[in-house]
Amino acid sequence: KLIWNWLGLFLHEMTLPLLWGSLFFSFFNPQVVNGIEIYSMKIDSKVTSRFARNVITSQAVNRGNVHKEVFFDVELPKTAFITNFSMTIDGVTYPGYIKEKEAAKQEYEKAVSKGQTAGLVKASGRKTEKFTVSVNIAAASKVTFELTYEELLKRQFGKYEMFIKVKPKQLVKDFEIDISIFEPQGITELEAEGTFITNDLQNVIKKTFSDKKGHISFKPTLDQQRTCANCSQSLLDGDFTVKYDVKRTTPDNLQIVNGYFVHFFAPTNLPQLPKNIIFVIDISGSMSGREIEQTREALLKILDDIRDDDFFNFILFGSDVHTWKEKLIKATPENLDEARKFVRGIDTEGMTNLYGGIMKGIEILNAAHEEKFVPKRSASIIIMLTDGQPNVGISNTEDIRTHVKKAIEGKYPLYNLGFGYGVDYGFLEKMALENKGLARRIYPDSDSALQLQGFYDEVSNPMLMDVELHYPENEISGLTKNSFKHFYDGSEIVVAGRFADINQNSLTVDVKGEGANDVLSFTTQQDAEQTAKAFQEQEYIFGDYIERLWAYLTIEQLLEKRTAATGEEKENLTAEVLDLSLKYKFVTPLTSMVVTKPEDYDNQAGIADKTTEAFLTSFSLYPAAPPLYFSSPTWYTSVDGDPHFIISVPQKEDAICFNINEKPGDVLSLINDPVTGITVNGELIGDKRANSDAKSQNTYFGKLGIANKYLNLKVTVTSEKITVQNGNEKTPFTWLDSVTLQQEGLTLIINKEKNLVLSMGGGASFVVVLHQVWKKHPLHQDFLGLYTLKSHKLSEQTHGLLGQFFHPIDFTILEIHPGSDPKKPDATMIIKNKELTVTRGWQKDYRKDPKHGIDIPCWFVHNNGAGLIDGVHTDYIVSSLF
């Protein structure tokens, strides 16, 4: 027994860091580093009138006899704003300060220049973004991390929901989730459940609610957390969900506190408006396989839910645009049956004529209104689904946005769904926001069809349209959005504002909206005294919550406007968001939080950033790796330059890169898929004048061979020409051509002197970028770059220098420390059960800007990718291009 105890202690001390999981409406992911014991984890949430303040606390102690590093990771809702962070080390608290991003960056870089070590891990989930901090603490020292964030809970399907991802991955001595809810309207229902909850754990969830107050507690003991009586594994692994709703004796509720008000509007028992809905669906080759199957599945389920007084149509776009019908069709049983046959026959073809598809949908919907073919009191909606970027017809996204906005003219909302990581999500989001809609990313997973159907369910029950909430203009300032195109059943409209006279304590509001039968009008009056009576349970209320709710909502909506704004308008919105963010201490995309510790802790400094959909929140003590600033990330693998390989890791929202140094004339295997028959090889070229040491000179890809042996297709690309060989027939092109070629199993688009886009057999798409240099340059030659999109279309047996990374990989970054370049720290990467020394740096993405490129931050693996790639790099040298 003594031996086993000693062995257990030894293994505990030697174990690699353990991730502690994630929590969406909340939570942390502390990592256990060698010798560190996390003895307490708690999330304490107080919700007052839908506005939630969450405090996450984690406590750790260093059980070792030397300094140790402890990590604190938090996955936050993307709609949340961090408002405070502090560390308490041996009784001394080090607070965080919110600063303008550039000022914070300067303070951060000052710490970087001192060469301290760094700790930063980044990842993002469907609805979350990660905040990470690490700190070195002395032997026997204790550290307490405390993070506060705030958010407004949204109402969907008739309930407010808090979703908590619980995954500690180990037993925790003091584990607790504590949620208190206070709603002055009164609580009608309160639910709490977990996917991991067993019969034994069911009784551990303590739930009570009475009138205005609700409380939920989940505090399992160590034994209750075990998977079995003597097991050391934790049972806590899954989703913990809290849902509730409030009493609604009137259509709305108005609350006034200290010169600010919030107005909640959610009428019930209204007849549903008929709807006119156009589905615009991408059927380009990249949608083949699981994507199109899931799209068909979702559309068939949606057809089952369409009401008989609705009108609908389908627009499909590949290289060409196809319509099911030339006008909107009423949802009769016969038409629905015909639509189901049409949907079952949807298949993929060609490239992505997004402009043609969306404009056709708008044309049909506009014609239906102009010809009075649809009811006057009906809600019109366009839902567009795409998984790629426009590359046929008008492909400039700015031009597409301009045409779409002019055609819709604010008459109805446009909802854009981006399928997977190949979309230009920033473009989809801007275009949707400009047209009173929103964008949503559909994640490529087994439940993609459910995601699609779930979004439709959110917008499938319009109850009112053209909703206007009117407030006395001379009494109110700083009013949030008060005009809404549609109100959907089960949702809620929230408007907040401040009084011009802070001493004013009453307000009258008029609300108007068009219902299915007539124009509806509501009038509400409220004064501060009535609100005060409803708010007698002060222990449930935190600070000036209505003022903070107003600031939160204002910043959120200003950031939305800023997304699509340009020029002076964007500058003004930026200034307004920055002012409010600093005043109310919110970490937004324009501010950062900095924590600096005293010299006893090596002047470690940290910075936290809040980002947009495509970004994530990061915080690290000491100088961190360069943040991942992508305006609209597209996940791909690529090789470009001399030659630099970039491997995207979507689940980390990060990238790994490496170089391959071989001699001119060598041909490297880049992609080899024995199942689909697709291969891609590249031949290296060097400088015009070879260096005496051929291995040390710059090399580039001067020739690419892309083939599909089952289709008997070969495409040879050089910096001078492109040759397509179909069987024995060869078709030559030059880079001076602008060509769209479609043959059986092949789509090829040449964009004159820029790039070509190629797909074979509905599989992966390839973009080849042409790099041209001055013809009289004494050294350099024209060369090529290769970018793969939709690589998941290839089989799991795909290999090659790029192909082996087409399927999920994971890694962990530890022990970040100064490198030879103070701006490029080194670190230890754990990948494929190996420890590699890597360096934080950048590589270039030249797809959109072949001349200058865009910097892509990545972890650089040295020595020709040794330890990262399978085998050694010379294993990938092949005899010829095909």
Side-chain angles (χ1 to χ4, degrees):
K1 185 174 180 180
L2 287 172
I3 293 173
W4 277 113
N5 286 342
W6 172 84
L7 181 59
L9 179 62
F10 173 77
L11 291 173
H12 174 74
E13 291 290 307
M14 295 301 292
T15 187
L16 288 172
L18 300 174
L19 280 176
W20 286 72
S22 65
L23 177 62
F24 164 33
F25 168 63
S26 61
F27 204 78
F28 40 85
N29 215 359
Q31 283 186 316
V32 178
V33 180
N34 180 19
I36 295 293
E37 178 192 347
I38 308 294
Y39 59 89
S40 176
M41 296 181 184
K42 181 176 182 181
I43 174 165
D44 180 56
S45 176
K46 283 185 167 53
V47 182
T48 304
S49 291
R50 294 75 149 165
F51 195 59
R53 171 174 289 179
N54 311 286
V55 181
I56 302 166
T57 307
S58 179
Q59 296 177 293
V61 59
N62 181 0
R63 296 298 187 190
N65 54 13
V66 295
H67 277 71
K68 299 288 184 181
E69 189 172 25
V70 60
F71 288 82
F72 174 71
D73 292 346
V74 185
E75 286 197 41
L76 305 175
K78 288 181 176 177
T79 54
F81 293 143
I82 293 172
T83 60
N84 190 41
F85 175 77
S86 66
M87 292 179 301
T88 301
I89 302 175
D90 292 334
V92 181
T93 299
Y94 306 97
Y97 300 95
I98 306 288
K99 296 189 176 185
E100 188 269 331
K101 189 177 288 286
E102 189 58 36
K105 183 181 177 184
Q106 291 175 5
E107 183 169 336
Y108 187 56
E109 288 179 346
K110 183 179 178 181
V112 171
S113 66
K114 295 181 179 180
Q116 279 86 38
T117 57
L120 176 65
V121 179
K122 294 190 175 190
S124 184
R126 291 185 181 181
K127 301 178 181 178
T128 62
E129 53 195 12
K130 185 172 283 189
F131 168 102
T132 299
V133 61
S134 67
V135 60
N136 278 303
I137 60 174
S141 287
K142 293 183 178 181
V143 59
T144 299
F145 300 104
E146 185 174 285
L147 178 77
T148 304
Y149 68 92
E150 297 175 5
E151 69 164 334
L152 179 64
L153 303 183
K154 304 294 192 295
R155 186 172 185 255
Q156 284 184 337
F157 307 116
K159 294 177 183 177
Y160 308 96
E161 179 179 289
M162 298 191 299
F163 170 70
I164 302 169
K165 192 78 172 177
V166 179
K167 198 169 186 177
K169 289 193 175 180
Q170 75 162 53
L171 304 175
V172 180
K173 181 180 178 182
D174 184 12
F175 178 96
E176 182 176 10
I177 299 171
D178 190 89
I179 301 169
S180 297
I181 303 170
F182 180 78
E183 291 288 349
Q185 290 173 258
I187 298 173
T188 57
E189 55 183 319
L190 180 62
E191 305 169 13
E193 59 185 12
T195 57
F196 55 89
I197 298 297
T198 61
N199 290 335
D200 292 336
L201 277 180
Q202 190 66 52
N203 295 328
V204 180
I205 301 176
K206 305 298 182 184
K207 178 189 73 172
T208 60
F209 76 96
S210 175
D211 194 19
K212 304 182 184 75
K213 295 184 287 186
H215 182 255
I216 289 175
S217 173
F218 180 65
K219 191 176 182 180
T221 65
L222 279 173
D223 286 340
Q224 288 169 331
Q225 294 174 43
R226 300 181 194 275
T227 53
C228 62
N230 297 312
C231 295
S232 60
Q233 287 140 346
S234 175
L235 189 66
L236 309 185
D237 184 357
D239 304 336
F240 189 86
T241 305
V242 175
K243 297 180 181 179
Y244 76 93
D245 200 17
V246 300
K247 294 178 183 176
R248 300 183 191 279
T249 55
T250 60
D252 56 358
N253 177 258
L254 185 60
Q255 299 173 18
I256 301 170
V257 175
N258 296 335
Y260 290 82
F261 75 88
V262 60
H263 186 195
F264 302 104
F265 178 72
T268 56
N269 301 319
L270 296 177
Q272 183 175 315
L273 283 163
K275 60 181 178 292
N276 317 305
I277 186 163
I278 299 269
F279 298 95
V280 182
I281 307 297
D282 183 349
I283 60 164
S284 61
S286 59
M287 282 283 290
S288 65
R290 187 166 71 165
E291 280 92 337
I292 202 67
E293 291 173 7
Q294 291 174 321
T295 300
R296 286 194 296 260
E297 179 186 343
L299 290 176
L300 288 170
K301 289 179 180 177
I302 287 170
L303 285 171
D304 291 339
D305 294 334
I306 288 182
R307 293 159 50 98
D308 56 10
D309 57 352
D310 292 340
F311 287 77
F312 70 104
N313 202 347
F314 296 102
I315 312 296
L316 312 178
F317 65 91
S319 294
D320 300 312
V321 176
H322 308 276
T323 59
W324 173 49
K325 301 290 183 181
E326 287 305 312
K327 61 180 183 180
L328 282 171
I329 297 298
K330 192 167 186 180
T332 64
E334 296 77 17
N335 288 336
L336 286 170
D337 284 341
E338 186 180 345
R340 291 184 183 97
K341 292 178 184 176
F342 175 79
V343 168
R344 291 188 186 103
I346 292 176
D347 207 350
T348 55
E349 62 168 46
M351 304 303 283
T352 309
N353 187 1
L354 184 148
Y355 172 78
I358 188 66
M359 292 302 290
K360 186 64 177 178
I362 296 169
E363 176 191 324
I364 290 176
L365 201 48
N366 284 344
H369 283 281
E370 290 165 6
E371 297 167 9
K372 297 182 171 51
F373 185 69
V374 295
K376 179 183 177 182
R377 297 189 187 282
S378 59
S380 294
I381 299 168
I382 294 181
I383 297 178
M384 182 178 72
L385 170 69
T386 181
D387 77 331
Q389 303 183 40
N391 52 29
V392 174
I394 296 179
S395 58
N396 182 286
T397 55
E398 297 296 322
D399 291 343
I400 295 174
R401 285 172 51 199
T402 300
H403 286 293
V404 167
K405 186 176 181 181
K406 184 177 180 181
I408 292 179
E409 292 183 316
K411 296 188 290 289
Y412 39 79
L414 168 65
Y415 297 108
N416 290 329
L417 306 181
F419 204 138
Y421 299 103
V423 296
D424 185 342
Y425 189 84
F427 155 62
L428 295 181
E429 183 178 39
K430 289 175 184 178
M431 187 164 66
L433 291 172
E434 287 173 334
N435 293 284
K436 300 187 176 181
L438 55 85
R440 181 77 57 83
R441 190 183 293 280
I442 302 299
Y443 291 85
D445 211 334
S446 58
D447 69 342
S448 295
L450 292 176
Q451 295 177 55
L452 289 167
Q453 188 184 0
F455 176 80
Y456 170 78
D457 291 342
E458 289 179 40
V459 299
S460 64
N461 295 308
M463 312 302 285
L464 293 172
M465 61 182 186
D466 297 324
V467 181
E468 301 279 346
L469 298 93
H470 298 284
Y471 304 85
E473 290 185 12
N474 59 341
E475 297 178 8
I476 303 299
S477 66
L479 188 67
T480 62
K481 180 180 176 181
N482 66 323
S483 137
F484 302 84
K485 191 63 188 175
H486 292 156
F487 167 74
Y488 296 105
D489 189 29
S491 67
E492 182 174 67
I493 289 173
V494 183
V495 180
R498 58 186 175 190
F499 292 108
D501 178 2
I502 196 171
N503 296 313
Q504 182 171 334
N505 58 12
S506 63
L507 184 64
T508 300
V509 184
D510 293 317
V511 184
K512 289 185 178 179
E514 290 198 33
N517 301 320
D518 51 20
V519 175
L520 301 180
S521 179
F522 310 90
T523 300
T524 299
Q525 291 181 312
Q526 179 76 327
D527 59 43
E529 186 176 342
Q530 290 173 295
T531 303
K533 288 179 181 177
F535 280 72
Q536 293 175 350
E537 294 86 350
Q538 290 297 318
E539 72 272 14
Y540 274 75
I541 303 168
F542 53 87
D544 298 326
Y545 84 96
I546 288 185
E547 181 178 353
R548 295 194 65 79
L549 187 157
W550 166 81
Y552 171 95
L553 201 57
T554 300
I555 291 171
E556 185 181 60
Q557 292 177 1
L558 289 174
L559 286 170
E560 276 192 3
K561 288 182 182 178
R562 182 176 176 270
T563 298
T566 57
E568 185 178 352
E569 181 189 9
K570 186 165 188 173
E571 291 179 7
N572 293 337
L573 289 169
T574 298
E576 196 172 351
V577 171
L578 180 58
D579 181 62
L580 286 170
S581 300
L582 293 173
K583 179 178 179 180
Y584 290 96
K585 299 185 177 4
F586 286 136
V587 176
T588 69
L590 303 180
T591 56
S592 296
M593 178 177 287
V594 178
V595 174
T596 304
K597 292 166 46 203
E599 292 184 2
D600 290 346
Y601 288 92
D602 302 323
N603 280 333
Q604 298 164 356
I607 189 168
D609 292 329
K610 168 71 182 179
T611 57
T612 58
E613 192 278 344
F615 299 85
L616 41 98
T617 300
S618 62
F619 181 99
S620 67
L621 283 171
Y622 346 108
L628 301 182
Y629 291 148
F630 298 99
S631 60
S632 57
T634 299
W635 302 110
Y636 58 90
T637 57
S638 69
V639 56
D640 211 330
D642 57 345
H644 305 302
F645 290 76
I646 302 178
I647 311 301
S648 293
V649 186
Q651 65 270 29
K652 294 286 191 183
E653 286 204 359
D654 208 338
I656 303 173
C657 49
F658 61 94
N659 292 350
I660 294 294
N661 300 307
E662 272 304 320
K663 61 184 182 296
D666 282 344
V667 179
L668 299 178
S669 171
L670 304 178
I671 300 166
N672 182 4
D673 183 4
V675 176
T676 64
I678 290 177
T679 60
V680 182
N681 296 325
E683 183 177 326
L684 295 171
I685 59 172
D687 293 331
K688 293 177 181 176
R689 293 202 305 268
N691 190 292
S692 57
D693 179 6
K695 285 271 187 172
S696 68
Q697 72 166 301
N698 294 326
T699 54
Y700 312 86
F701 282 112
K703 186 183 291 186
L704 292 170
I706 305 172
N708 187 320
K709 68 179 181 181
Y710 298 130
L711 297 176
N712 203 16
L713 282 171
K714 294 180 181 178
V715 179
T716 306
V717 186
T718 71
S719 59
E720 297 176 349
K721 64 181 181 179
I722 302 102
T723 303
V724 177
Q725 182 175 348
N726 192 339
N728 295 321
E729 182 182 346
K730 292 185 178 181
T731 307
F733 302 98
T734 74
W735 284 100
L736 295 175
D737 297 320
S738 291
V739 174
T740 298
L741 173 68
Q742 287 187 290
Q743 299 178 352
E744 184 179 355
L746 171 69
T747 302
L748 175 73
I749 297 176
I750 301 174
N751 297 304
K752 183 178 178 180
E753 294 189 292
K754 291 183 179 178
N755 58 49
L756 68 83
V757 184
L758 180 149
S759 65
M760 286 182 172
S765 298
F766 305 100
V767 179
V768 179
V769 175
L770 173 65
H771 295 275
Q772 293 180 306
V773 301
W774 180 43
K775 297 302 180 186
K776 295 183 180 181
H777 196 287
L779 286 178
H780 301 318
Q781 304 185 64
D782 294 349
F783 63 96
L784 306 171
L786 174 72
Y787 297 79
T788 63
L789 304 176
K790 307 296 177 188
S791 56
H792 61 281
K793 298 286 185 179
L794 299 179
S795 78
E796 294 184 0
Q797 297 180 42
T798 304
H799 213 268
L801 284 168
L802 286 178
Q804 64 188 290
F805 300 107
F806 285 174
H807 305 286
I809 59 171
D810 196 11
F811 65 88
T812 301
I813 296 296
L814 304 171
E815 301 171 358
I816 303 178
H817 55 276
S820 56
D821 183 339
K823 291 186 178 181
K824 296 182 179 180
D826 288 345
T828 298
M829 173 183 286
I830 308 297
I831 189 167
K832 294 183 176 180
N833 295 319
K834 300 173 185 174
E835 290 189 20
L836 308 179
T837 298
V838 294
T839 301
R840 192 61 170 176
W842 296 265
Q843 298 290 10
K844 292 284 189 181
D845 175 351
Y846 291 100
R847 283 172 306 147
K848 292 188 177 181
D849 185 355
K851 186 175 181 181
H852 302 102
I854 299 170
D855 285 332
I856 302 295
C858 61
W859 292 105
F860 184 80
V861 179
H862 302 274
N863 302 321
N864 292 296
L868 171 67
I869 64 173
D870 294 338
V872 295
H873 73 283
T874 53
D875 296 339
Y876 298 86
I877 298 175
V878 294
S879 59
S880 66
L881 208 59
F882 293 104

